Amino acid sequence: MVDLDKVVVVTGYGEVGLFGNAELRWEMEAFGEFSLEGCIELAWIMGLIRHFNGKLKSTGKIYTGWVDAKSEEPVRDMDVKSKYEKHILEHTGIRLIEPELLDGYDPRKKGIMCEVQLEHDMEPFEATAEEASQFQLRNGDKCSAWASEDGSWSVKLLKGATIMVPKALRFDRLVAAQLPAGWSAERYGIPKDIADQVDPVTCYAVVATVEALVRSGITDPYEIYQYVHVSEIGSSSGTALGGLKSMKRVFADRLCDKDQQPDVYQETFVTTPPAWINMLLLSASGPIKTTIGACASSVASIDVAIDTILSGKAKIMVAGGMDGFCEESSYEFAQMNATSNSNEEFARGRTPAEMSRPCTTTRSGFMEGEGAGIAIVMSASTALQMGAPIHGILAMTGTATDKEGRSVPAPGQGVLTSARETINTVPSPLLDMKYRRRQLKRRQSMINEWRRQELDHMRQETSELRKSPAGLPCDERTFISERTEFIDHEAMRQLRESTDLWGNFFWRQDPRIAPLRGSLAVWGLTIDDIGVASFHGTSTKANDKNESEIINCQLKHLGRTRGNPVLAVCQKWLTGHPKGAAAAWMLNGAMQILRSGIVPGNRNADNIAAELEKFDYIVYPSRSIKTDGVKAVLLKSFGFGQVGGEIL
């Protein structure tokens, strides 16, 4: 009932985040603790242990296995959890900002430059001839410079000149969802010269892409070209803010006259991370459709990837999003009152891990995070041809703006339009797969009859041409072969179109069928089969109420059975908000839910907000629930700039 060329699936997913990767985040999200295997992997990621194969210095014995990175003493697998788990838990997840991970940034002493005007002449200081001329150019008659007998230059700033003096303030955003302490791109195999050159966000994206490729069963990207052409692999991955560390080097460090690499500016472009992914891994020449946006950039990336595959411009797309964390973004989000105030949360007796509180009465702003999330998206036919695993079918994606408004970050309800349909007393027969199958078989029968008639006509035409004075345009065998191939190709094209008409896209352009309802019906599902709603759930007062209202309204409008609420998954209680990577991590979690049947709870949901009680079609679990299986997950994402998105 479907054309597999027009079915888009996820064959692999990867992420770099506050717990390292997708599976380690899932362990903490679903179970609340790391397994022994998880601790071993995190200990390696954080540089606490390394693999050794050779003679031990201490004993001279041959040994293969893990050793402690500092002492180089052997560490048994079974001892890793007990030896390193305390350190791992302290330096992963949402926690106090670690200055050593952010070039020394300490929010308790946030540096700010203050302009001061001199009230008397300063003492002279030594400078080069070039620097002396630059000081004079900037300060004019408020600066005096002269050359000494030994060839050196002296500069004296005079009364009335202005200088920038550093000061510090005690900032109140002390907590963030940072990458594990000790995370290193070089440990994953990225050469040091490249790791030093590119922005950290690019490293996150490259590592997440490799994880997604490996999860697709692809250990060498070049093996893809056994199945598709280089022009049929594209990218739509994007970001909200771009290379933040590189931006700081361009706009702040340059201003302070600090040396920088000459090409640092290129690392600020939003197109640069996808470019490095292609240069280092894929060597493809397919479509490049970098998406830009705040929280919903990952949804837009998936949406663009699907459209690109359905249009035939690509068979495989690298989709997702990435973003970093820095003091500038932390400060500016705080000025907008978008993030939680750490001092106020500490005063309420909360630990850092308890400060991101989606859908609770006490939610007070989102928690900033960083990282990358990447999905390898293919047509189902390509995935089957390659033997790649299928982790999830992307049945529908959509983005929407939010109509009239006066505030860029204010939440809106544009994504309600995926539930748009005219009111009908009798449901459309198209929603019944038996009806569609009957129409498809009838159409296929007509196409087969057309093919038979065309073959008969070809034989008649061949006989007539053979008798004509001009004769056949080529030898008879070639004429029959090529004409038969044409007829078969045309019949196949019509068969695919019939499948699109009655299978994949029967609901499109039909105002009687909502896109959400039609996308479910393609797979024989109804609105009652959505088991989980993956919430954007930022922990802000406005978002969580607005999102709950949208989802409840969609479910009610499309006739979901009362008493059958969806389970709300609010991943950001654990991960914080990584901006561009947010929806990609949510998508990864959705596929892990489909795989396991486990619906992770929001363990910070100790008091669901009273204003959410009226939404009868949603329940907000505070613990993980083991179900007998989930058929469909509906994911929502909302971003600044009137950007809303959803994925089924």
Side-chain angles (χ1 to χ4, degrees), residues 113 252-258:
M113 301 296 287
D253 292 352
R254 287 282 195 209
L255 186 64
C256 295
D257 202 20
K258 295 181 180 179

PDB file of all heavy atoms in Angstrom, residues 113 252-258:
ATOM      1  N   MET A 113      33.813  44.983  30.621  1.00  0.00           N
ATOM      2  CA  MET A 113      34.711  46.109  30.397  1.00  0.00           C
ATOM      3  C   MET A 113      33.967  47.423  30.650  1.00  0.00           C
ATOM      4  O   MET A 113      32.844  47.614  30.193  1.00  0.00           O
ATOM      5  CB  MET A 113      35.256  46.086  28.978  1.00  0.00           C
ATOM      6  CG  MET A 113      36.016  44.818  28.622  1.00  0.00           C
ATOM      7  SD  MET A 113      37.505  44.595  29.612  1.00  0.00           S
ATOM      8  CE  MET A 113      38.555  45.845  28.887  1.00  0.00           C
ATOM      9  N   ALA A 252      35.011  39.672  20.290  1.00  0.00           N
ATOM     10  CA  ALA A 252      35.539  40.125  21.584  1.00  0.00           C
ATOM     11  C   ALA A 252      37.059  40.065  21.624  1.00  0.00           C
ATOM     12  O   ALA A 252      37.717  41.060  21.946  1.00  0.00           O
ATOM     13  CB  ALA A 252      34.946  39.279  22.708  1.00  0.00           C
ATOM     14  N   ASP A 253      37.621  38.919  21.290  1.00  0.00           N
ATOM     15  CA  ASP A 253      39.073  38.784  21.393  1.00  0.00           C
ATOM     16  C   ASP A 253      39.801  39.659  20.380  1.00  0.00           C
ATOM     17  O   ASP A 253      40.880  40.190  20.670  1.00  0.00           O
ATOM     18  CB  ASP A 253      39.472  37.316  21.208  1.00  0.00           C
ATOM     19  CG  ASP A 253      38.997  36.444  22.360  1.00  0.00           C
ATOM     20  OD1 ASP A 253      38.507  37.018  23.353  1.00  0.00           O
ATOM     21  OD2 ASP A 253      39.091  35.208  22.273  1.00  0.00           O
ATOM     22  N   ARG A 254      39.255  39.822  19.190  1.00  0.00           N
ATOM     23  CA  ARG A 254      39.859  40.737  18.214  1.00  0.00           C
ATOM     24  C   ARG A 254      39.864  42.158  18.761  1.00  0.00           C
ATOM     25  O   ARG A 254      40.824  42.908  18.605  1.00  0.00           O
ATOM     26  CB  ARG A 254      39.087  40.704  16.901  1.00  0.00           C
ATOM     27  CG  ARG A 254      39.267  39.461  16.070  1.00  0.00           C
ATOM     28  CD  ARG A 254      40.571  39.457  15.315  1.00  0.00           C
ATOM     29  NE  ARG A 254      40.543  38.426  14.273  1.00  0.00           N
ATOM     30  CZ  ARG A 254      41.614  37.795  13.828  1.00  0.00           C
ATOM     31  NH1 ARG A 254      42.808  38.089  14.324  1.00  0.00           N
ATOM     32  NH2 ARG A 254      41.520  36.883  12.887  1.00  0.00           N
ATOM     33  N   LEU A 255      38.763  42.545  19.410  1.00  0.00           N
ATOM     34  CA  LEU A 255      38.666  43.881  19.979  1.00  0.00           C
ATOM     35  C   LEU A 255      39.717  44.096  21.055  1.00  0.00           C
ATOM     36  O   LEU A 255      40.223  45.209  21.238  1.00  0.00           O
ATOM     37  CB  LEU A 255      37.259  44.098  20.551  1.00  0.00           C
ATOM     38  CG  LEU A 255      36.922  45.498  21.059  1.00  0.00           C
ATOM     39  CD1 LEU A 255      36.955  46.507  19.914  1.00  0.00           C
ATOM     40  CD2 LEU A 255      35.557  45.496  21.726  1.00  0.00           C
ATOM     41  N   CYS A 256      40.043  43.012  21.766  1.00  0.00           N
ATOM     42  CA  CYS A 256      41.070  43.091  22.809  1.00  0.00           C
ATOM     43  C   CYS A 256      42.464  42.799  22.267  1.00  0.00           C
ATOM     44  O   CYS A 256      43.409  42.599  23.043  1.00  0.00           O
ATOM     45  CB  CYS A 256      40.731  42.121  23.939  1.00  0.00           C
ATOM     46  SG  CYS A 256      39.224  42.541  24.820  1.00  0.00           S
ATOM     47  N   ASP A 257      42.591  42.735  20.941  1.00  0.00           N
ATOM     48  CA  ASP A 257      43.886  42.590  20.267  1.00  0.00           C
ATOM     49  C   ASP A 257      44.590  41.282  20.612  1.00  0.00           C
ATOM     50  O   ASP A 257      45.815  41.227  20.737  1.00  0.00           O
ATOM     51  CB  ASP A 257      44.795  43.776  20.605  1.00  0.00           C
ATOM     52  CG  ASP A 257      45.884  43.965  19.554  1.00  0.00           C
ATOM     53  OD1 ASP A 257      45.712  43.461  18.429  1.00  0.00           O
ATOM     54  OD2 ASP A 257      46.907  44.608  19.867  1.00  0.00           O
ATOM     55  N   LYS A 258      43.782  40.215  20.778  1.00  0.00           N
ATOM     56  CA  LYS A 258      44.364  38.898  21.021  1.00  0.00           C
ATOM     57  C   LYS A 258      44.579  38.190  19.693  1.00  0.00           C
ATOM     58  O   LYS A 258      43.763  38.298  18.784  1.00  0.00           O
ATOM     59  CB  LYS A 258      43.440  38.062  21.914  1.00  0.00           C
ATOM     60  CG  LYS A 258      43.264  38.627  23.317  1.00  0.00           C
ATOM     61  CD  LYS A 258      42.357  37.732  24.150  1.00  0.00           C
ATOM     62  CE  LYS A 258      42.173  38.290  25.560  1.00  0.00           C
ATOM     63  NZ  LYS A 258      41.270  37.431  26.385  1.00  0.00           N
TER      64      LYS A 258
END
